[in-house]
Amino acid sequence: MSSQLTVAEAAALLDVPTAEVHRLIATGRVEHQLACSGRCELLVSAESVEALRSAAGRA
Protein backbone atom coordinates (compact mmCIF):
# COMPACT_ATOMS: atom_id res chain seq x y z
CA MET A 1 0.00 0.00 0.00
CA SER A 2 1.69 3.19 -1.10
CA SER A 3 -0.38 6.15 0.04
CA GLN A 4 -2.18 5.79 3.36
CA LEU A 5 -4.92 7.62 5.22
CA THR A 6 -6.21 7.39 8.74
CA VAL A 7 -9.75 6.11 9.19
CA ALA A 8 -10.85 9.66 10.06
CA GLU A 9 -9.26 11.08 6.89
CA ALA A 10 -10.90 8.38 4.76
CA ALA A 11 -14.27 9.10 6.38
CA ALA A 12 -13.91 12.81 5.63
CA LEU A 13 -13.03 12.15 1.98
CA LEU A 14 -15.98 9.79 1.58
CA ASP A 15 -18.27 12.05 3.61
CA VAL A 16 -19.33 9.16 5.84
CA PRO A 17 -18.98 8.36 9.55
CA THR A 18 -15.86 6.49 10.66
CA ALA A 19 -18.08 3.48 11.47
CA GLU A 20 -18.83 3.22 7.73
CA VAL A 21 -15.10 3.11 6.94
CA HIS A 22 -14.73 0.29 9.47
CA ARG A 23 -17.62 -1.53 7.73
CA LEU A 24 -15.90 -1.07 4.36
CA ILE A 25 -12.72 -2.53 5.86
CA ALA A 26 -14.61 -5.47 7.37
CA THR A 27 -16.28 -6.27 4.04
CA GLY A 28 -12.99 -6.06 2.14
CA ARG A 29 -13.89 -3.02 0.05
CA VAL A 30 -10.99 -0.94 1.39
CA GLU A 31 -7.41 -2.14 1.72
CA HIS A 32 -5.97 -1.56 5.18
CA GLN A 33 -3.08 -2.28 7.49
CA LEU A 34 -2.19 -1.83 11.12
CA ALA A 35 0.84 0.43 11.60
CA CYS A 36 2.59 0.44 14.94
CA SER A 37 5.32 2.83 16.03
CA GLY A 38 4.97 3.52 19.72
CA ARG A 39 1.21 3.25 19.25
CA CYS A 40 -0.87 1.40 16.69
CA GLU A 41 -3.10 3.00 14.10
CA LEU A 42 -5.37 1.52 11.46
CA LEU A 43 -4.51 2.94 8.04
CA VAL A 44 -6.41 2.57 4.79
CA SER A 45 -5.25 2.73 1.20
CA ALA A 46 -5.80 6.14 -0.38
CA GLU A 47 -6.15 4.36 -3.73
CA SER A 48 -9.02 2.22 -2.38
CA VAL A 49 -10.76 5.32 -1.05
CA GLU A 50 -10.33 7.15 -4.38
CA ALA A 51 -11.76 4.14 -6.23
CA LEU A 52 -14.83 4.20 -3.99
CA ARG A 53 -15.23 7.96 -4.48
CA SER A 54 -15.03 7.57 -8.24
CA ALA A 55 -17.53 4.72 -8.24
CA ALA A 56 -19.90 6.83 -6.17
CA GLY A 57 -19.47 9.88 -8.44
CA ARG A 58 -17.85 11.97 -5.69
CA ALA A 59 -14.45 12.51 -7.29
Side-chain angles (χ1 to χ4, degrees), residues 1 4-10 18 21-23 25-26 30-36 39-45:
M1 217 167 42
Q4 301 170 337
L5 302 168
T6 65
V7 170
E9 290 168 335
T18 56
V21 175
H22 285 282
R23 188 188 70 74
I25 291 168
V30 174
E31 294 178 34
H32 67 284
Q33 74 179 47
L34 188 61
C36 297
R39 68 182 184 101
C40 292
E41 186 169 29
L42 186 60
L43 300 175
V44 297
S45 160

Side-chain angles (χ1 to χ4, degrees), residues 10-28:
L13 283 174
L14 293 171
D15 195 27
V16 297
T18 56
E20 178 65 10
V21 175
H22 285 282
R23 188 188 70 74
L24 292 168
I25 291 168
T27 58

Side-chain angles (χ1 to χ4, degrees), residues 43-55:
L43 300 175
V44 297
S45 160
E47 292 82 6
S48 294
V49 171
E50 283 301 320
L52 284 173
R53 287 182 67 201
S54 293

